[in-house]
Structure formats: C-alpha cells, structure tokens
Amino acid sequence: MLDRRTFVTGILSGYGLLAAGSASAGTLSGTSLSPSSDFSLTLAPIPVNFTGRPAFATAINGTVPGPTLSWQEGEDVTLRVTNHLIETSSIHWHGIILPTTMDGVPGLSFPGIPPGETFEYRFTVNQSGTYWYHSHSGYQEQTGLYGAIVVNPREGDPDGADRDHVILLSDWTDENPAAIYTRLKKMSHYYNFNERTAPDLYRQIRSEGPLATWQDRAMWNDMRMSDSDLADVTGYTYTYLMNGVSPASGWTGLCKAGERVKLRFINGSAMSIFDVRIPGLRMTVVAADGQDVEPVTVDEFRIGTAETYDVIVTPESDSAYTLFAQSLDRSGFARGTLTTSPELVAALPAMDPVPILGHEDMGMAHSAGGHAHEPVISAQQRHPHAHHHSALAPAGTAGLGSAAGIVHAATEYGPHVDMRTENPVSGIDDPGVGLREHGQRLGREVLRYSQLINRHPTADPRQPGREIQLHLTGNMNRYMWSFNGVKFADAEPLELQYGERVRIHLVNDTMMAHPIHLHGLWSELETGEPSRIPRKHTVLVQPGKTVSYLVSADALGRWAYHCHLQYHMLGMMREARVS
C-alpha cells in the first residue's frame, strides 16, 4: 500500500481535489481533452479503488490514466505541468521527436519539476500517430502518471477510419512500488507462481525419460534460472487495466456495424507485456509506434511495454467483441468490449497455457529464422581491451540487418552477469515464447516484426558508417540489470556524432524480453526491406535473440536510452549523447 501520510501531505500541499469532489474512489478512466495547442496539466494524488481495496494513485488532472491529449501535426503546443506532489516530477512525451530540453528526463533534459512549481513545455509537433506520455521520475508511472497522445495527421486519416478508440493498457498494484523493488532484489522470483512442481517433474520424466530430465534440470539449476521466469511482477499483485478499468468492470467502446474502427493500442504498463486478440475479429495493423506501416492482417500481436499499435477492425453485424490482452506469463488479463450496443455481451475467452522458456530463449537455437551469426567470440579472444560497448565496422546492408559476429566485452564477465548467448539468431521473425505455435495449433496468425514495412520510403537511405553492438545483460537471481555488464551509474555515455548514420546491434544475453527505448531519435528497425525501413521508438528484444536498427543522429543533445521495464531501468540504461 502506498504511504498514506505521504500522499495526504501531497494533497494538503494545495490541490484540493477531494474538496472538489473530482476524485471519488472507484475505477477512473482517462478523459479526452478537446483538441488544442495549449494545455494545463496538474499532477496530484487521488484515492482510487481498482481492486476492492482503497489506495492512492498519482493522477493527472484527477484521472488515471491522465487525459488523452489530441494534437495536430505541424502545430506548436504548449503544456504547463504543475506539480502538487511532495516529490520532484516530470513528464516525458514518449515517441515525440522534440528538442532535448523538452524531453522531460530529469538529469538529462532538465532538473525536473519541484513540488509546487510549474514547468512549461513548448515544442512543434512534426509527426502524427499514436503516442503516450508518462512520468520519468521515481515510480510515478507505476502509480498512475501516464496518458495517451493522438496526433492527427495534416492530410487527414490515411486509413479512412470511421471512428477510433484509444486502448491504453496498464498494470496497477496496491503495493508500494519501492517495496516491490526491494522484494525483487531479495527474491527475484517472489511474484512467480508458475514455478515447477512435483507433478511437472513427473510429466517430464514420462515424456523425456529420467536421464534427459536430469540433464535438463541440472542445466537450469546450474544457471540459477527458471524456465517459467517470464515476468518479474505478475498478476499476484497486478490488476491489469484497460483505459483505467479493471477486468471486473471492463471498458466498453461503441461502434456501428460495418464501420472501419481504428483501435489505438498503447502499452502504458510499468512491467507487463501483453498478447492482444479480439475473438471473432481480425485486426489489420496499420501503424507501429505511431508510424504508418503497410497493412498486415493478423489475429494476435504481442505488445511490449511502451510500444503502440494501431489496428483497423470492421464489425460486420450488430454484435459485441471482447478486446482481450493477456499478460505474457498468463497471470492475468485486461479486457474490454467493442460493441454496437451497450446491452450486448461478448464471451470472455480463456487464457492460453503458460509458456515455458527453452533453449531457443537462451540463444542456443540454430534455426529460428532471421540472420545467421558467427559463433560467439569472447572479448578476451578478439578484443583484449574491449570495454563498455563495441564500435565495429558495419556488417550488412542497411535494412537487412547486422551480419556481425557476437563479441562479448570484458565487462560482461563476473557475478553480475549470469548468461551470455552462445549462438543467438535474429528475433525479427520470432513472435516470442508462447506465440510461436499459435498458427499451427490454434489457427491464429501472429504479428512478427519481419512483417512491418514502412508505408513510406526510407527517409535516410545511407549505409551506416559504423556499428555499435550492445548486450542486454543481467543476473536474474540477484536482480541486477545492465548494458554490456555495466550499470547506468558506472556507464559512459554512448557517443554519437551529429549527422552520422549508425547501426545499433542489440544482443539479449538474458532470458527475459526487454523493450528498449531510444529517446529523441528514431530506431529504424531492419526488417528486410531496405527501401521501406519501419521506424520505431521502442523495440522488443526477445530472450536470447538479436535485433538491429539504424539511427540517424540528427538531434543534438543528451538522450535517455533504456529498457522500459520500470524495475530494470536503474541498471539497464545509458545516456546517448549526440554532439
């Protein structure tokens, strides 16, 4: 439970929401502010009740999530953010390309917004699409400080949608996030209730035999890892929300039969990855991270923390459909209803079986598609003085992905890193653990990164001048996270030269998926089509896999670069400095 005295103090600091009667306990859903270029946002605590127990959340203008901000491409926007919390706060405009001083990251962009003060953000909106905003201070995002952004294109909706709905997914806990982090440091699997049991062992012995079972179990024990370690924080403490509404109530959106309905999915959670489907409706993906892509029709997609996907659906008759977003570890779900009438009820689907991690998720697979890599070569063998990150000559054509061999820096060796991938392959064509067999077993077509093709020509067709290989590293048992074995506090900035074209090659040396977010610059994901490279702001790197993307360093300044899982961010973060 969040500290009540702390929040009451915040309330008494001047906001007076309770007196105004605008923050009554109960499920709250974000409102939409009228399209404008001038906004006033106020940050303050409010009482809520998402779980049947009263708690306090951090709200924006009295709601969780905060109001949806509707902007127009090409306009100058002004946002005055007033902090009525008792601690410094901030708002980061996730995915918006803007000056570094407006990016909202304390310590890099600006000092933050002290209690009782107002900061004015002003910038020009040079893009369109679906984005979101959230605090970049402490655990405020986990406690409710987030909301959606919709930027309307200058030329009108390119997808011809008749109506659209924002679908903002998040995870709520009544616990103090600081206490959650402390528990994870003491026992990283504290929230994992899918650990193997005696019946699981018996089934494996019957299936694989005693020797193979013994060898398999010995391998996992030696690594001090679990094949069920899919999420650090789970439905044991989380209630998953859709537009601020719990599954018990369910969010509802209206439509008409035959309409083209655009659903703007945003994963605004702190720690959760969702698999999204709408039984009875196929979804045509038309945008990823706010950027138009060639339409691709699927039945299901995985959305990493901080990613966004726009999909078009067309209900063909008067009926109701369940919007179903199950967590990756299947410990819970968010749900809503898209219906032609509030009186219609849609069936709630069952969650899929709990996935189990395997050799492929340890970077030991040899045939999962994508680009082959050279066998692993340690830093001691190739670069005796290799340090925080490896800058190499680019290997591979722009858009097709890196063909460089894997190099582990010397900093990756030690008790702070418990795994180094031996032979990782590209994760571009891998939908991820738990979804790989859905086509064959369940008849569901699942979105893959390899299907994302920019609807517009590649803006910068240059080949990269160099390549930076970064490893996502950690010790899961000790709950330590880092890039190349170096935590943020000890890391040197990632230096980029203004105007250069560089390839970043990410290698996931852990058994968890990490959504990696680069502020201020596009991550142009190499999905195999050089002339139509899709742009993203957050890239989900599958366990034991690699991805690469191109970056045009066209924005001066100090930018944050990090895993977007809240409790990983303290370690797995870098400053990217463009000078």
Side-chain angles (χ1 to χ4, degrees), residues 162-179:
D162 300 305
R163 136 190 350 244
D164 67 38
H165 291 292
V166 168
I167 310 297
L168 178 49
L169 306 172
S170 60
D171 44 23
W172 169 263
T173 174
D174 289 338
E175 291 188 90
N176 185 331

Side-chain angles (χ1 to χ4, degrees), residues 32-41 67-81 91-98 102 121-134 147-156 164 264:
S32 295
L33 295 181
S34 299
S36 174
S37 60
D38 194 296
F39 299 87
S40 293
L41 303 177
T68 297
L69 305 180
S70 181
W71 299 343
Q72 183 69 40
E73 181 183 7
E75 71 177 358
D76 297 326
V77 295
T78 301
L79 302 110
R80 285 173 296 279
V81 179
I91 289 186
H92 163 59
W93 317 99
H94 191 109
I96 301 297
I97 303 300
L98 40 59
M102 297 288 107
Y121 295 85
R122 301 184 70 176
F123 50 87
T124 302
V125 181
N126 292 313
Q127 61 202 92
S128 62
T130 304
Y131 305 92
W132 66 300
Y133 61 98
H134 58 83
I149 298 171
V150 175
V151 184
N152 299 302
R154 188 182 287 112
E155 306 298 333
D164 67 38
R264 301 175 182 269

Side-chain angles (χ1 to χ4, degrees), residues 501-546:
R501 182 81 158 158
V502 62
R503 170 183 283 132
I504 294 181
H505 183 189
L506 296 179
V507 181
N508 190 346
D509 283 327
T510 79
M511 292 195 64
M512 301 200 76
H514 298 279
I516 303 299
H517 173 41
L518 174 60
H519 291 225
L521 306 167
W522 289 114
S523 302
E524 299 178 49
L525 190 60
E526 298 187 285
T527 60
E529 179 51 70
S531 64
R532 301 290 182 94
I533 303 175
R535 300 194 296 187
K536 288 179 62 61
H537 50 63
T538 308
V539 174
L540 186 64
V541 190
Q542 304 291 350
K545 298 288 175 59
T546 72

Side-chain angles (χ1 to χ4, degrees), residues 444-466:
R444 294 186 210 149
E445 186 173 349
V446 181
L447 181 70
R448 302 163 189 265
Y449 271 169
S450 58
Q451 295 174 294
L452 298 180
I453 299 173
N454 198 328
R455 212 182 298 180
H456 310 288
T458 300
D460 185 350
R462 290 179 296 164
Q463 297 295 316
R466 62 184 176 122

Side-chain angles (χ1 to χ4, degrees), residues 482-514:
S482 55
F483 279 117
N484 284 5
V486 182
K487 63 185 179 184
F488 177 55
D490 299 331
E492 299 170 355
L494 191 65
E495 299 283 357
L496 302 179
Q497 185 176 353
Y498 180 73
E500 75 167 332
R501 182 81 158 158
V502 62
R503 170 183 283 132
I504 294 181
H505 183 189
L506 296 179
V507 181
N508 190 346
D509 283 327
T510 79
M511 292 195 64
M512 301 200 76
H514 298 279

Side-chain angles (χ1 to χ4, degrees), residues 212-274:
T213 300
W214 174 268
Q215 293 172 336
D216 182 64
R217 290 296 91 203
M219 178 193 70
W220 287 103
N221 290 335
D222 287 344
M223 295 190 299
R224 298 180 182 179
M225 294 180 183
S226 167
D227 57 6
S228 65
D229 199 356
L230 299 161
D232 296 338
V233 191
T234 70
Y236 175 69
T237 186
Y238 277 155
T239 296
Y240 301 105
L241 308 179
M242 181 174 290
N243 290 339
V245 182
S246 70
S249 303
W251 172 84
T252 298
L254 295 175
C255 64
K256 294 180 180 178
E259 281 187 330
R260 287 173 58 83
V261 182
K262 178 178 285 187
L263 302 176
R264 301 175 182 269
F265 285 92
I266 302 168
N267 186 344
S269 71
M271 288 293 289
S272 302
I273 295 170
F274 294 99

